[in-house]
């Protein structure tokens, strides 16, 4: 059973951009895989309140289209369990903010000034984003900081959620609005990890990365600054 997570905003699911070219149950399956990162057919059916066979049919079609891939794991005796996640093509169904334009501009900067100049430009952007989030959350009580940071990232298109744990928590980004750029410039992921560490005032360790083919970006936060939220 998956651990419950706190949505960054109760209205975020309805306002998040849907997958391009898909509607109905198939779109709902893609949206849930985007949100959850990975899921079994049974978990998807339970969340979407529909028959498992219906979900399996859509997963088969989505797999044939190359937008969903599966992993097979064995748990003792019996049939293997299949978990599903979005492929890079699947992530591409969700609009990335200005990704193509930004990628083109970075290419132009590389032509004129070299790759280091493009990296510096991206680092400056993430530095400003980090400064803003740090300023917005600096005066919050420790138990409120995780959810607030998730809401700030959600507003930037990251579809972020926060799960509080004893002495820390897990920040999950179900979308990467700059995935195309992050695939070419992995430095931006390191910059993101650095500004999250500043914002939480705690140790941040990245466990997964969309730009590397994972279903979501996951950060484990440990330290007093991200103590578990009461009532979660």
């Amino acid at each position: 059973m998956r651990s419950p997570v706190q949505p960054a905003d109760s209205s975020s699911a309805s306002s998040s951009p849907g997958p391009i070219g898909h509607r109905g149950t198939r779109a709902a399956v893609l949206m849930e895989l985007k949100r959850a990162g990975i899921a079994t057919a049974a978990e998807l059916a339970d969340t979407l309140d529909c028959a498992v066979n219906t979900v399996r049919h859509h997963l088969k079609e989505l797999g044939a289209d190359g937008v969903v891939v599966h992993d097979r794991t064995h748990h003792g005796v019996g049939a293997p369990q299949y978990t599903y996640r979005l492929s890079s093509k699947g992530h591409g169904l969700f609009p990335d903010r200005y990704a193509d334009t930004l990628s083109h501009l970075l290419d132009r900067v590389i032509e004129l000034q070299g790759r280091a100049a493009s990296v510096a430009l991206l680092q400056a952007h993430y530095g400003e984003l980090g400064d803003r989030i740090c300023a917005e959350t600096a005066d919050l009580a420790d138990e409120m900081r995780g959810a607030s940071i998730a809401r700030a990232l959600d507003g930037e298109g990251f579809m972020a959620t926060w799960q509080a744990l004893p002495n820390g928590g897990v920040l999950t980004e179900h979308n990467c609005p700059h995935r195309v750029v992050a695939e070419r410039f992995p430095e931006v992921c390191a910059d993101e990890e650095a500004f999250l560490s500043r914002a939480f005032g705690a140790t941040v360790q990245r466990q997964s990365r969309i730009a590397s083919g994972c279903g979501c970006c996951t950060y484990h936060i440990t330290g007093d600054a991200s103590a578990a939220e009461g009532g979660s």
Side-chain angles (χ1 to χ4, degrees):
M1 181 180 295
R2 290 171 293 173
S3 300
V5 296
Q6 291 182 297
D9 191 305
S10 60
S11 64
S12 62
S14 60
S15 61
S16 298
I20 297 171
H22 294 273
R23 296 181 179 180
T25 303
R26 191 165 300 186
V29 168
L30 290 169
M31 283 290 290
E32 179 58 19
L33 286 176
K34 187 71 169 173
R35 186 200 69 79
I38 61 171
T40 65
E43 288 171 337
L44 290 168
D46 182 61
T47 300
L48 301 176
D49 193 24
C50 63
V52 174
N53 285 341
T54 299
V55 170
R56 287 185 176 134
H57 168 74
H58 288 298
L59 289 170
K60 182 178 179 180
E61 296 296 320
L62 292 167
D65 291 341
V67 298
V68 168
V69 295
H70 69 268
D71 301 300
R72 183 172 62 178
T73 57
H74 288 273
H75 297 282
V77 179
Q81 182 181 61
Y82 290 87
T83 56
Y84 298 85
R85 56 186 170 85
L86 296 180
S87 65
S88 180
K89 182 179 179 181
H91 282 293
L93 296 175
F94 293 81
D96 291 345
R97 289 185 174 182
Y98 318 115
D100 292 337
T101 299
L102 179 56
S103 184
H104 174 74
L105 290 173
L106 291 172
D107 283 337
R108 185 60 176 158
V109 173
I110 291 173
E111 290 177 10
L112 296 174
Q113 302 180 39
R115 189 179 187 280
S118 288
V119 171
L121 187 65
L122 290 169
Q123 289 175 329
H125 167 72
Y126 273 91
E128 291 173 2
L129 175 62
D131 289 344
R132 178 165 58 79
I133 291 178
C134 287
E136 291 174 355
T137 60
D139 295 330
L140 294 178
D142 293 343
E143 63 271 15
M144 298 176 61
R145 190 166 297 153
S148 181
I149 291 173
R151 280 193 295 270
L153 290 169
D154 201 54
E156 295 293 325
F158 287 87
M159 293 178 65
T161 57
W162 169 252
Q163 179 186 11
L165 299 172
N167 194 39
V170 178
L171 178 72
T172 304
E173 297 168 348
H174 304 280
N175 184 50
C176 177
H178 308 115
R179 176 182 57 84
V180 174
V181 174
E183 288 173 350
R184 295 180 55 198
F185 298 90
E187 293 92 340
V188 301
C189 297
D191 292 333
E192 181 182 30
E193 187 173 357
F195 87 64
L196 286 175
S197 181
R198 285 197 294 124
F200 279 102
T203 300
V204 174
Q205 293 182 318
R206 185 174 63 238
Q207 302 296 313
S208 62
R209 180 172 171 260
I210 290 175
S212 294
C214 299
C216 56
C217 295
T218 306
Y219 295 92
H220 283 206
I221 291 86
T222 55
D224 293 339
S226 55
E229 298 181 30
S232 50

